[in-house]
Every structure is written in C-alpha cells, then in structure tokens.
Amino acid sequence: RERSQTVQSAMKNSDPNCYTFLLFLHPWVCIVGFWIIVILTSIFALPKMVLAKENGREFLVWDDIRVQREDTFTLAKEEVKDKNDFGQSIPLQIEHVPSWDVWVIYESTDDNTIFTEVNLEYMKEMEAIITSEQRYASLCFKEFIEGGNPEYQCKSSSGSILQFFEYPFVQAEIDKDLIVMADDTSSEYDKAKTLVDENFSTDNLKAKYVRSLYEFGAPLDVNGKRYLSVGDDEEDQIDYFRDFAIDLEDKINGNDSAKMDVYFFNLTWFATMVNEIVMRDFFYAVLSFCFVLLYMMIHTRSLLMPVLGMLQVLCAFPVSYFIYYFILQIHFFNSVSMLSIFIILGIAADDIFVYLDAWDQSLQYDIFHKDLMKRTTWVFMRAAKAMFITTITTFCAFMATAVSEIMPIAAFGIFSGLLILVNYVMVVTHFAAWVVVREKVLNRCCRKKKEAANEVELMSQTSLSFSDEIEKGPSKDNSHVLKKQKTSRPTGQNLNSTMDSMISVESLEAHATGEVRPRSDSEIRAQTMGNLDTFFYLRFYPWIKTMKYPILVIFLAWFAASLNFASKLQAPTKQEDWIPSDHKAVQGINRMEDFFPQGANDKSQRINLVWGLEGLNRDDVSRWDPEYVGEIHWDSGFDLTPKANQEYVLAICEDLKSPSKSEMVQDELVYCFMQNFK
C-alpha cells in the first residue's frame, strides 16, 4: 500500500508544465540562452570587477556625527589647499602622513631590563640603519628650522628613546637619566614615557619593551618628478613609500641581537602584506575547486556533469556582479567579497548532487523508464523545490547583513546572496538542460547496446543455471550461480525486467532447495540502490525510527547546554588577528597594544578647532562609495580680516595654554596659526 501511494504521488508530480516542456523538447534553447547571458554580462561586468582602494574609512559608520565632522575637516583642508596652490608646489615633505609612520619595537630577551649599554648601543645601530637608508632623506617628515640659515630639515628623532641618554652610553649615566625621565613631568618627558612600556615608573626603573617612532611626509620629489602636494598622483607617492617600507622591514626584522628581539610595524606595509596573504590564500580556493570537482566525479561516476557544474560556478560571478554593479549600483568590491567563492563552491556542489540524485532515484518508478518527459518533470519538481528551500534561507541570511552599518560587511552579504540566487537559477535551467541532453544523446545510444547485451547474458545464464539445478538438485558447487545472479545490480531501463528476474530466481531457488523465503518490498528496492543509499534505506532510517525519542532527548540536552555557553559570549576585547599569531607583524602589534600606554597611539591626541564651516552636504553621497564624502558648505558670514576677530582666535589659543588647562592640554603643544601674524 505504501509503495502504491508513492507511485501515485510520483505520477501526480510528473504532469508536464510549460517550462518542463521547453526543457525536454528544446534543451539547447536553455543552454544557448545561458551562454549568451554569461558572455554579455562578462563583457560589461569583468572590466568593473576590480578591488576597491581601502584606507580604513570604509569600515566607519558614516552617519555618525564624529565621522562627518572628521570628513568635513579633511575635505575643507584639501579644498583650501587646492584653491591656494594655484598650480604651485608646497615645500617638500612638510605634510605629515600618519599612515607612513614607522614603529620599531625592541624587546629584551632576559628578565632584567632593556636599559643596558649593549642594548642602547644596538638601538643606535638600528637607528643608523634606518636614517642612512638611501631613500630616507627623500621621505622623512620635515620641519622648519629657524636660525642663521632657516630651512626645512628632517624632523629630529623626537620619537627615539635614545635622545634622553648621553652618548657614549655608560651604565651609571644611564641609571641617572632613567631617574630624571621617571621624575620629570614636562611634555618632553611625558612623550618619552609613551616610548617605554607601561610598567616603567619612579618606583620601577626597569622596562622590558621600548619603541621608536619615525615620521614621514609628502609631497615627494622622486623618480624624476616633483609632486605638487600630497594628493598629486597620490598612488605613485604611496607606491614609492611602500617599496621603501618593504625593504626597511627586511633589514630590521632580520637583525635580532642576542639580547633583544626587534619588531617592525607600519600601516601601509601591513595593509600590503595582508593583501598579499589574502591573494595567496586564493590558491586554497583553487584547491577547494579541484577537490569538489574530483569528489563530484567520483560520486556521479561522470566527467561531463561535474565539469559543467564547476564551470557554472565560475559563470555565476560575472552574472552576479552585473546585477550587483549595474542594477543595484553598488560599486564597492574588496577582497572580503572574493571569499564568497568558498561559500558558492559548497552550495553549488550540493545543488548538483540534489538534482543528479533525484534523476537517479526516478528510476525506481516504472512509469519513468520509457517516458522521459514525465521523468524530467518529476525530477525538476522534486529537486527544484528541495533546492529552493535551502537557497532562499541562505539567501535571506546573507541579505540580512545589508542592514549593517559597516559598509563592507553589507556589501559582502549582498554579493554572496546574489551569487547563491544566480547559482540556483543556473542549476534549474542550464544544468537541468544538460541532464536532458545527456540522457537523450549520450546515454540512450550506449544504454540500448548495453541493455541488449545484458538481457541476452541474463537469459542465457538463468536458463543454463536453473536447467542444471533442476536436473541435479541444489549443491554446494552450483549454489554460487544462484547467489551471483540474485545480487546482480541492474541499471537504466532494464530495472523492471531485472527485478522480475530476481524475483523469479528467488522463487526457483526456493523451489529447488525446498525453502520458502519471501522478500519484502524494501529488500527488492534496495537491490537497485548504491551502497550509501542502501545503508540509509535499510539501516539508518529504521534505527532513527526506533530511537527517535532518546535522540530527541539528547539533542534537547545539547541545545540547553549550548544556550548556556552562548549566554556567556562576550565581545572581543582586542582586534582579531588577520594573519598567524607567530608572524612578526602580529607580534609587534600585540606588544604595542598590550605593553605600551594607550596601545599603539601616543598619550596625546590632536584636536582641531575650525572656524568658517557650516557643514557637509551629503545629498549625493552613496553608501557604497567611500571616496566621495560630500560637498563643503562654507560659512558665507565668516570674515577673519577684522582685528577683533583675529584677537578672538588668538585669545582662545592663549587660554588653551593657560595653567587652568594644563590637565587637558600639554604645554607648548598648542599650534595657533594666528600667532604667526602678530
């Protein structure tokens, strides 16, 4: 009765519809249409599929008022420079570029202190390696030096701890200098304390870690070109510094001493290194691609269908990106979005397995052996529904990230969701059409010859075996013929005749041996399945059916324990490591964050006071374009020419330097442009 109901359900779901008519009668229409779409979208999408320039701003929350104020100040400063330059260049290297700052961290390898004659001498050698590098003079941040011959010179090493010790280094003098450094509270020595680990104090003159800061500036005069400003061919200037930083890192990280380890850190160099690691990691995507392809070939025992399936995965990228870029108007695409290839590989393989397994399982029903139209319809309806459920849930999960205020996360989720949806459409159109073509063109020709040969061999073996068995009776010698014949595995359209033969063989064997062993419908159907299907059909499913209540109790207990652990989850207290923790760059960052005051930053923070701005017009700002932040709205009523206005600005500067503000503003660290006009 159960088998009868299953057959009736299969017949009901095999009534052809318009699409399955097209899929069966004209599969080449689906295939050719697919490739036309892929080629056209590739022509438009692939030239636009380039990684965006990342400067860190894309990860900020752009609606935050603090970010908008920073954008307003930065844009106003750039606009003022552009208006005042008049095509003229500004002095070389006087604009400090924070992302070019180089930190060198020293770690003592013994438990005593880093402030020894040998260690300080080694630091001096390292400093000489940096400052004597051929490109250092063309990159260093310059400051204006007054005197008999005023000029711009490389800024003195205010970020070096060595300036607080007299040379040549003598241990007795070093100890005296440490006492002065710990006791002095002036801004100069406050700066020095940020270069020593946070355990250093008046009560503890020992330190395990020390760091030095080297600042660099633009515009540059390199490679035969004199750049007018920081923004003049900015990428060329960054590339020049990047090459310098890479070479400098090789020199520094390869110069550990016997008593000290040295670590190098620079944001530009670090971003380059991370991008290189990410690009190298795409080699694993190639390995994943090959592994999935190999497994599909083994599982399907076919070369054509797995190759078509993997080719289809690659084709999903330009089609998805066309929708992403031209229809949704999302122009941001970074290395994070490229990681979606690992997601789509698994999902695409799963969809292909679902469709091919449904195609193979359809042979269990007699009605599909000679009616390919009904078989195509039944397989499509069964597989498309199953795949749609998994596709739509995964699609919605990724699309949910579109509400994230962090733009790269939202962009990654949208692109991955589109990729999953496009892959589903390709499977139920292009791949389904190839399954029909394979059945019509390739398998039919081979199957007819194989079926004819199998039927002749089956009839001859059955006739010969059972003639001998009836004449001689059952014996140990010829019983293997019966068993071999009984376990022969049929394929293709000879399923019914083979099953009937197996039943006849079973009956004859029982007659010959005098035994009656009726076989269940499940055992007969299991003869047509593979080993894995047979295991789940005859072993796993009955076990699950018997043990359903104990299994339910176990999973409920597991779920309760999981909820308990989930309630204890906390936000990370530090940034995740994007590269292996044993890498020297990560070790340097961790030491900057863990052992120095205020992490990797100085104790002091620069605050800008700005007059003459009304705000930022963000009407045409796109969420997906981190480069365009809006247009400046200047305060048309602002006028600095009256004496009273100038005195007002000057009074604010003087007030910030007053003793009453000493706890908030470090002395001599108020830079007031109005003082230069006195």
Side-chain angles (χ1 to χ4, degrees):
R1 183 174 58 187
E2 179 181 354
R3 181 173 177 81
S4 176
Q5 292 175 351
T6 304
V7 172
Q8 291 177 4
S9 176
M11 294 178 62
K12 182 179 179 181
N13 293 328
S14 63
D15 295 333
N17 53 45
C18 295
Y19 177 71
T20 54
F21 264 116
L22 174 65
L23 194 64
F24 175 75
L25 297 176
H26 306 289
W28 288 107
V29 172
C30 298
I31 295 172
V32 173
F34 165 84
W35 283 107
I36 291 175
I37 293 174
V38 169
I39 292 172
L40 290 178
T41 53
S42 299
I43 292 173
F44 290 99
L46 291 182
K48 303 292 184 180
M49 202 172 185
V50 294
L51 297 180
K53 300 176 184 177
E54 300 184 43
N55 55 17
R57 183 183 178 275
E58 60 272 8
F59 287 95
L60 300 177
V61 180
W62 298 348
D63 290 333
D64 192 297
I65 187 62
R66 293 166 294 183
V67 176
Q68 293 181 19
R69 286 175 178 172
E70 176 66 21
D71 289 340
T72 303
F73 172 72
T74 303
L75 190 60
K77 187 168 65 171
E78 293 175 356
E79 192 167 325
V80 168
K81 287 180 182 179
D82 293 340
K83 289 182 178 180
N84 293 339
D85 284 346
F86 300 109
Q88 299 179 0
S89 60
I90 61 175
L92 294 172
Q93 300 155 240
I94 67 167
E95 287 289 332
H96 175 229
V97 183
S99 61
W100 291 5
D101 287 348
V102 170
W103 290 96
V104 180
I105 303 99
Y106 303 94
E107 177 183 4
S108 174
T109 55
D110 58 40
D111 296 330
N112 192 11
T113 180
I114 200 170
F115 296 119
T116 64
E117 296 177 17
V118 175
N119 289 343
L120 293 183
E121 191 67 42
Y122 176 75
M123 292 182 201
K124 190 171 182 63
E125 293 176 4
M126 292 298 300
E127 186 173 294
I129 290 176
I130 296 173
T131 56
S132 62
E133 212 281 347
Q134 185 177 3
R135 290 163 288 184
Y136 179 82
S138 61
L139 284 164
C140 64
F141 174 45
K142 291 184 176 181
E143 58 183 356
F144 189 75
I145 306 299
E146 298 180 354
N149 185 23
E151 61 178 345
Y152 286 98
Q153 298 178 2
C154 285
K155 187 177 180 180
S156 61
S157 54
S158 60
S160 172
I161 197 69
L162 297 180
Q163 64 179 311
F164 302 100
F165 300 94
E166 293 186 6
Y167 187 78
F169 303 119
V170 179
Q171 191 61 49
E173 297 298 325
I174 293 174
D175 294 339
K176 293 180 182 179
D177 294 334
L178 289 172
I179 295 174
V180 174
M181 185 189 303
D183 292 337
D184 200 319
T185 57
S186 65
S187 61
E188 181 181 8
Y189 281 96
D190 278 347
K191 178 74 172 178
K193 292 183 181 69
T194 66
L195 303 176
V196 186
D197 69 49
E198 57 189 7
N199 294 323
F200 179 81
S201 65
T202 55
D203 298 327
N204 178 30
L205 299 180
K206 296 180 179 181
K208 185 177 179 64
Y209 301 94
V210 168
R211 61 180 176 175
S212 294
L213 170 65
Y214 300 88
E215 298 175 315
F216 298 89
L220 306 178
D221 184 3
V222 295
N223 297 331
K225 181 175 180 179
R226 205 304 190 179
Y227 297 93
L228 301 179
S229 64
V230 178
D232 183 16
D233 288 337
E234 184 178 9
E235 284 301 314
D236 291 342
Q237 297 185 72
I238 293 175
D239 288 341
Y240 184 84
F241 175 81
R242 183 184 293 112
D243 294 338
F244 163 77
I246 292 173
D247 294 340
L248 193 62
E249 186 271 337
D250 289 337
K251 294 179 180 179
I252 291 176
N253 279 342
N255 274 281
D256 290 344
S257 72
K259 294 189 176 182
M260 268 201 308
D261 292 331
V262 186
Y263 305 94
F264 173 94
F265 181 75
N266 167 258
L267 283 174
T268 302
W269 163 81
F270 184 74
T272 302
M273 184 189 62
V274 170
N275 286 335
E276 290 177 354
I277 292 175
V278 170
M279 295 309 296
R280 286 200 301 268
D281 284 349
F282 277 108
F283 173 71
Y284 296 110
V286 176
L287 292 181
S288 300
F289 188 91
C290 295
F291 173 78
V292 173
L293 177 61
L294 178 63
Y295 182 81
M296 290 175 64
M297 291 168 59
I298 295 173
H299 181 82
T300 62
R301 300 179 182 179
S302 170
L303 176 63
L304 175 64
M305 305 314 292
V307 169
L308 287 173
M310 291 296 97
L311 183 62
Q312 187 173 275
V313 170
L314 298 179
C315 293
F317 274 86
V319 177
S320 301
Y321 195 77
F322 181 87
I323 301 172
Y324 178 83
Y325 189 93
F326 291 100
I327 298 178
L328 299 182
Q329 292 292 301
I330 303 177
H331 297 167
F332 181 83
F333 188 79
N334 65 348
S335 55
V336 175
S337 299
M338 290 294 293
L339 298 178
S340 55
I341 188 172
F342 294 100
I343 299 171
I344 196 59
L345 274 176
I347 294 176
D350 181 65
D351 288 347
I352 291 171
F353 287 150
V354 169
Y355 202 93
L356 290 180
D357 285 347
W359 186 264
D360 293 338
Q361 291 167 8
S362 64
L363 287 176
Q364 297 181 23
Y365 302 103
D366 301 344
I367 58 174
F368 299 145
H369 292 167
K370 295 182 180 181
D371 194 334
L372 188 57
M373 168 74 79
K374 288 185 175 294
R375 183 183 181 189
T376 301
T377 303
W378 182 85
V379 170
F380 176 83
M381 298 301 294
R382 178 186 177 90
K385 288 179 180 178
M387 292 186 295
F388 180 77
I389 297 300
T390 58
T391 297
I392 200 63
T393 52
T394 311
F395 170 79
C396 292
F398 278 103
M399 282 299 177
T401 63
V403 302
S404 173
E405 294 181 328
I406 308 299
M407 186 269 288
I409 296 178
F412 165 73
I414 292 174
F415 181 74
S416 299
L418 288 175
L419 203 58
I420 292 168
L421 192 61
V422 168
N423 172 76
Y424 171 76
V425 174
M426 288 182 172
V427 171
V428 299
T429 55
H430 174 256
F431 190 81
W434 271 110
V435 172
V436 175
V437 170
R438 181 190 67 167
E439 185 68 20
K440 281 185 173 181
V441 179
L442 300 179
N443 289 0
R444 284 270 175 130
C445 297
C446 301
R447 183 176 295 151
K448 286 182 179 179
K449 295 180 180 179
K450 189 174 181 179
E451 286 176 357
N454 287 343
E455 288 178 1
V456 172
E457 182 180 358
L458 182 64
M459 292 176 63
S460 61
Q461 289 181 358
T462 303
S463 175
L464 178 61
S465 300
F466 284 97
S467 296
D468 294 341
E469 182 67 22
I470 292 172
E471 292 177 2
K472 300 178 181 180
S475 68
K476 198 174 191 180
D477 296 334
N478 57 23
S479 61
H480 72 280
V481 178
L482 303 177
K483 294 180 181 178
K484 181 178 179 181
Q485 188 64 35
K486 179 181 67 174
T487 57
S488 298
R489 182 180 173 183
T491 58
Q493 291 184 348
N494 66 339
L495 178 64
N496 273 345
S497 58
T498 307
M499 289 179 64
D500 294 340
S501 299
M502 287 190 293
I503 297 173
S504 300
V505 169
E506 187 75 16
S507 302
L508 289 172
E509 183 183 4
H511 175 75
T513 58
E515 299 178 0
V516 178
R517 296 184 295 167
R519 306 181 66 196
S520 67
D521 180 67
S522 297
E523 291 176 325
I524 296 174
R525 292 181 64 187
Q527 294 291 327
T528 67
M529 300 178 181
N531 294 331
L532 188 61
D533 292 336
T534 302
F535 168 76
F536 281 102
Y537 187 66
L538 293 181
R539 298 287 185 268
F540 187 74
Y541 170 70
W543 180 79
I544 287 288
K545 190 174 181 180
T546 303
M547 300 292 295
K548 54 181 177 292
Y549 294 113
I551 291 174
L552 182 60
V553 171
I554 292 173
F555 270 89
L556 285 176
W558 187 4
F559 181 71
S562 301
L563 285 180
N564 179 51
F565 285 111
S567 64
K568 298 178 182 180
L569 290 176
Q570 297 179 351
T573 57
K574 58 186 297 185
Q575 184 177 358
E576 294 86 353
D577 292 335
W578 288 84
I579 53 181
S581 58
D582 59 348
H583 195 284
K584 272 219 162 185
V586 176
Q587 293 177 357
I589 295 173
N590 290 339
R591 282 155 177 76
M592 293 270 278
E593 293 178 345
D594 297 338
F595 302 112
F596 290 94
Q598 304 299 317
N601 300 318
D602 292 337
K603 184 180 294 182
S604 59
Q605 298 293 332
R606 174 175 292 185
I607 298 176
N608 298 289
L609 299 181
V610 183
W611 292 271
L613 293 177
E614 285 189 353
L616 195 64
N617 181 6
R618 304 179 70 249
D619 291 342
D620 297 329
V621 172
S622 170
R623 184 190 180 192
W624 312 108
D625 184 7
E627 298 294 327
Y628 180 72
V629 300
E631 295 182 358
I632 289 291
H633 272 188
W634 299 96
D635 184 0
S636 58
F638 176 74
D639 186 5
L640 198 57
T641 55
K643 180 180 179 181
N645 293 352
Q646 297 178 24
E647 290 178 344
Y648 172 77
V649 174
L650 189 61
I652 291 179
C653 296
E654 296 297 337
D655 181 61
L656 291 173
K657 288 186 176 182
S658 65
S660 62
K661 301 293 192 301
S662 61
E663 294 184 0
M664 181 178 68
V665 181
Q666 291 182 346
D667 55 334
E668 300 180 5
L669 291 181
V670 176
Y671 303 96
C672 186
F673 71 95
M674 192 57 66
Q675 291 178 334
N676 298 327
F677 290 93
K678 291 180 64 176

